[in-house]
Amino acid sequence: MVIDWNQRETNNGRGLRAAEYVRMSTDHQEFSTDNQSAAIRSYADKRGYEIVRTYADDGKSGLSTDGRDAFMRLIDDVENGRADFSAIIVYDVSRWGRFQDPDEAAMYELRCRRAGVDVLYCADQFENDGSIGSSIVKTVKRVMAGAYSHDLSVKVFAGQANLIRRGYRQGGAPGFGLRRMLVDQNGEKKGQLDRGEHKSIATDRVILVPGPDEEIAIVREIYRIFVEDGRSEREIAAALNARAILTDLSRPWTRGTVHQILINEKYVGHNVWARTSFKLKREHLRNDPEKWVRADDAFAPIVDRQMFMQARAIIDARSERLSDEAMLDLLKSILDGHGQLSGIIIDEAEGCPSSSAYRSRFGSLLRAYALVGFSPDHDYRYLEINRKLRALHPTVIAEIIAGIGAVGGRVASDPLTDLLTVNGEFTVSVAIMRSIFTSAGSLRWKLRLDTALNPDLTIAARMDENNDRPRDFYLLPRLDMREAVLRLCEYNGLSLDAYRFDTLDRFYRMAARALLPRAA
């Protein structure tokens, strides 16, 4: 027998007023906001609720509240006494949000409940009545909703990276002198895509091809007069503007637009992607070059490779001739003139090294910004924490190797992967988990198990609240781990905390060896 919880009618709900919240992401959802609303109203009718308000976020991701104006308006109405309803009815937990931290979804629901407004999920098979059973099911569904988006993000990134390696273009304007060409799944050309046009068949792909001859000639002229005549980007931009030549976006040339032509590898046929990332709609990250996804010689080049390398050498030499102090003085003068800093502002500055030069010299733009006293609006402290933890990783490994040796064990370390082989019997990977404070003030940790190396045991050091030292360790055997990514709270229940230890003494006892006398 199948129990339909939605059929359970309640007489005490008659005459109650409710609001509905509906959301549909930009991906293809099985249920549109109209279908969600129909299910919500059927549920409300059975429970005796009257829908008096509708809050709808069309085409909005549930990963965060960014851009979800209706959702934030709903929360604001509830907390500021403007809500003329006693309940909010949502289709299911995932429509409330696919937050990566399930506590974030709980926080918004708690804020509503404290204001006297209940949140009800009409399609989920539980009553949101605060009971132990419903709380457990709801938490599981929140985790599953967040995991869905995470898994989808991983799959999408892997698919896009694969297409890049096969030589296909992944979004973005082609650039001056280049054009986008639509090809079918067999690589046969189907036609050129103009600005604003996109492919309509899922199996079609896009590649870059040389553009009009006059644009190609201008690109080559830019390289020639920069390399051979020694003219600066600003001088080249002024000359192009004097000839009434516009960029591919129909705009006048600037120092920055010329500079981008001189440093972009697509002009020598290389397909480079993932210089930056914005996974799960979190922080924009500028990735290290070794993390870029690339395919060399993917497109037909329009600039000679030797000419390209000469141009890059000239640009790189600008910073090599300057001391750190001189570069920072130039950066400080740009900050004084503009009141802020960004990569574009730096690239537009005359007589100044490029933003990539600052990144290379000082490790990151954020580090250079800090040295001249500039703090961006966004909080990028996590980058410094990650850098500190990466520096700590070799020390932790060295301590573990020393601990194994102290109990008579033997360990071999792979210099490329840091994978440890203990006593020639089992392999160990060492990971450090950065602590993160949630918006609710609790601590969280995330661990990505190394499925490529597939170690027999993972030692995960869980850092303290200041990320200064390990607070404890998890010894995670491969056979018992079913997920590639683990998200840990301060207390995780027996299923995970059974592997938690305050020190590594238990691990060292596993690795210990004792000398035995040889039998006669």
Side-chain angles (χ1 to χ4, degrees), residues 378-412:
H378 298 288
D379 185 0
Y380 291 106
R381 286 175 295 178
Y382 72 95
L383 293 177
E384 295 298 331
I385 294 173
N386 287 347
R387 187 176 295 110
K388 180 176 70 174
L389 296 184
R390 284 196 296 270
L392 178 64
H393 192 261
T395 302
V396 174
I397 291 180
E399 292 176 352
I400 292 174
I401 292 175
I404 295 173
V407 297
R410 295 178 294 103
V411 59

Side-chain angles (χ1 to χ4, degrees), residues 67-88:
R68 293 172 63 185
D69 297 337
F71 182 81
M72 296 310 298
R73 188 169 64 253
L74 167 62
I75 301 298
D76 185 65
D77 287 347
V78 168
E79 293 188 320
N80 289 284
R82 293 189 296 271
D84 57 349
F85 44 83
S86 60
I88 302 166

Side-chain angles (χ1 to χ4, degrees), residues 356-368:
S356 59
Y358 279 98
R359 195 176 298 110
S360 176
R361 177 71 67 90
F362 297 101
S364 70
L365 278 180
L366 292 174
R367 174 62 177 162

Side-chain angles (χ1 to χ4, degrees), residues 255 318 327 330-331 334 346 349-354 358:
R255 181 186 185 276
R318 291 172 180 168
M327 289 184 67
L330 287 171
L331 192 62
I334 297 173
I346 295 172
E350 184 64 40
C352 179
S354 65
Y358 279 98

Side-chain angles (χ1 to χ4, degrees), residues 34 42 62 76 104 166 178 255 268 340 347 365 422 464:
D34 289 338
S42 175
D76 185 65
E104 189 170 358
R166 293 170 59 188
L178 298 169
R255 181 186 185 276
V268 289
Q340 61 178 333
D347 288 338
L365 278 180
V422 180
D464 63 12

Side-chain angles (χ1 to χ4, degrees), residues 232-252:
S232 69
E233 293 98 320
R234 192 170 299 280
E235 291 174 328
I236 296 173
L240 294 173
N241 290 333
R243 292 157 56 184
I245 297 174
L246 298 177
T247 68
D248 56 307
L249 299 178
S250 300
R251 300 170 183 169

